[in-house]
Amino acid sequence: MSIAPLDALPLETLRRRSSTKWRTFPEDVLPLFVAETDFPLAEPIRAVLAEAVEIGDTGYTPPDPGVRSAYVGFARRRFGWEIEPQRVSWTGDVMMGVVELLRATVTRGDRVVITPPVYPPFFFCIEEAGGVPQDVPLLASDDGWLLDLEGIETALADGARAVLLCNPHNPTGTAHAKESLAALAEIAARYGAVVISDEIHAPLAQPGSGFTPFLMASATAAEIGYAVTSASKAFNLAGLKCALIVTGADATTAVVRGLPREVEWRTGLFGAIAAVAAFDEASDAWLDSLLARLDENRMLLADLVAEHLPLARFAIPDAGFLAWIDLSAYGWGDDPARAILTGARVALHHGPEFGAGGAGYARLNFGCSPDVLREAVARIGALARA
């Protein structure tokens, strides 16, 4: 049975929101930059938050807010991943978890491998933890973007102590192959390094994408890896502050248990309440409908780029609602998002902020209505033809 795609809220409703997406630019700008989506909340989430407001449930997050058992069930249903409940903990957001894990596993001044172009906060969070980012850029191929395993091994052999992985990858939307992840785990183990996998976009992996959680890739991955994830991207809950840290072995679990107590206390109560509802089976239908919409949108975007921006290069992503588009042929410089904002009144994310390989690119958020997507790309196309 086909799944009806989720409808976005109308623009007049979205412009009443007070979040970053809707308060950064004037109303004549279509905001497709930050990773917020334009859809209504899943009804189970709306209901539990409404009840919490009604009864004044705005206190401290309890010792067990229920996110552990909720995520264990979600991972089993969605990924076939069996997680031991005691290996799940929580914190405020994914980057908080990454920083604390790095503080616990590397020494100040140690190098941490990243795979640009990559989510800009990776650079800042490694530095916050006292590490030094070391670029090993993704490899472009006819089959999409690939981890440069040889380059990562060279970096680890030269003394880098950790790999900060993005899986699925932001901004390319790549779901790294299980074989690649398993090979990465073996390389890291060979040099006594850890892998911290940001899996915030995992719930948005399209069916058939081949997405594999890093800790599921192999027994070695489970021994040396950490996964940090959240409901915030799939269910648009970033402002509510709840993320999960998952481990697969006694040694890594002990590291997480040794983190300062405040790491867990940073979890927002509304974030935990919403995450429990998001990961519950009752929200699966909403998520399936969202995935159907994003599937249609990613295909629509490919058609729109071909029609309006024929010199651009765009690979359809495996996961998420973010598109990584090479606009270098249009002469808009290293940061085409600047020219597009000024000339087309469409806000995209600046390619150079994603590090090596970002020059000439922009990231576009297609987590919106098809009409908004059509209008945005048509505006950019008109600028290209001007």
Side-chain angles (χ1 to χ4, degrees):
M1 185 174 67
S2 62
I3 298 169
L6 188 64
D7 289 330
L9 294 168
L11 272 175
E12 56 267 26
T13 301
L14 293 166
R15 293 198 185 281
R16 290 164 48 199
R17 289 181 174 179
S18 60
S19 61
T20 290
K21 184 172 185 179
W22 299 100
R23 288 294 182 267
T24 301
F25 298 103
E27 287 199 3
D28 67 323
V29 173
L30 290 177
L32 304 182
F33 67 114
V34 73
E36 299 179 24
T37 55
D38 296 353
F39 305 101
L41 286 176
E43 178 55 27
I45 298 174
R46 190 208 61 77
V48 295
L49 291 176
E51 181 181 12
V53 170
E54 181 181 354
I55 65 175
D57 191 7
T58 53
Y60 291 111
T61 306
D64 184 358
V67 292
R68 171 185 286 129
S69 58
Y71 187 71
V72 166
F74 180 86
R76 180 184 297 120
R77 294 192 313 276
R78 307 299 295 197
F79 310 134
W81 184 14
E82 293 292 339
I83 301 172
E84 297 177 77
Q86 70 273 19
R87 302 198 191 282
V88 180
S89 60
W90 43 94
T91 189
D93 61 41
V94 164
M95 287 298 104
M96 283 184 193
V98 166
V99 169
E100 296 301 336
L101 287 172
L102 285 172
R103 284 177 173 152
T105 56
V106 304
T107 302
R108 180 166 292 275
D110 282 347
R111 285 172 285 128
V112 178
V113 172
I114 54 174
T115 57
V118 75
Y119 184 50
F122 273 27
F123 299 92
F124 316 139
C125 289
I126 290 170
E127 292 168 355
E128 181 182 344
V132 178
Q134 180 168 355
D135 292 354
V136 181
L138 294 179
L139 300 174
S141 77
D142 293 338
D143 297 323
W145 299 88
L146 305 173
L147 293 172
D148 181 358
L149 295 171
E150 183 177 337
I152 292 172
E153 178 158 19
T154 298
L156 295 179
D158 191 44
R161 305 307 305 143
V163 178
L164 180 51
L165 179 70
C166 200
N167 181 44
H169 193 85
N170 174 3
T172 67
T174 302
H176 298 301
K178 179 178 181 179
E179 295 77 14
S180 182
L181 297 174
L184 172 62
E186 293 301 324
I187 292 167
R190 190 175 305 141
Y191 296 99
V194 301
V195 176
I196 300 171
S197 186
D198 171 357
E199 300 188 353
I200 197 169
H201 293 275
L204 294 173
Q206 286 290 340
S209 68
F211 170 73
T212 300
F214 179 75
L215 297 180
M216 275 189 72
S218 69
T220 302
E223 288 290 330
I224 57 93
Y226 302 84
V228 194
T229 191
S230 174
S232 64
K233 286 293 182 285
F235 295 90
N236 205 43
L237 304 174
L240 300 185
K241 296 301 178 185
C242 180
L244 302 165
I245 302 172
V246 185
T247 53
D250 290 345
T252 50
T253 302
V255 169
V256 175
R257 288 178 179 166
L259 296 177
R261 290 182 63 193
E262 191 62 27
V263 174
E264 182 178 302
W265 271 99
R266 293 172 187 154
T267 308
L269 178 57
F270 273 21
I273 290 171
V276 170
F279 292 134
D280 189 84
E281 191 170 2
S283 290
D284 280 0
W286 182 95
L287 181 56
D288 289 337
S289 185
L290 172 63
L291 286 167
R293 168 59 61 205
L294 297 180
D295 184 30
E296 289 194 1
N297 278 8
R298 64 180 180 159
M299 301 304 178
L300 172 62
L301 179 58
D303 291 340
L304 292 170
V305 168
E307 177 184 356
H308 295 283
L309 296 162
L311 301 181
R313 293 188 298 171
F314 164 57
I316 296 173
D318 301 319
F321 49 81
L322 304 172
W324 186 236
I325 306 175
D326 180 357
L327 297 163
S328 56
Y330 287 98
W332 291 327
D334 286 350
D335 190 1
R338 293 188 181 279
I340 290 168
L341 177 59
T342 301
R345 307 306 284 163
V346 177
L348 306 181
H349 205 311
H350 305 282
E353 293 186 4
F354 293 81
Y361 281 80
R363 193 191 74 178
L364 181 152
N365 177 346
F366 58 86
C368 58
S369 73
D371 287 344
V372 167
L373 194 57
R374 290 187 186 97
E375 173 66 18
V377 181
R379 288 188 191 186
I380 301 169
L383 176 64
R385 295 187 298 272

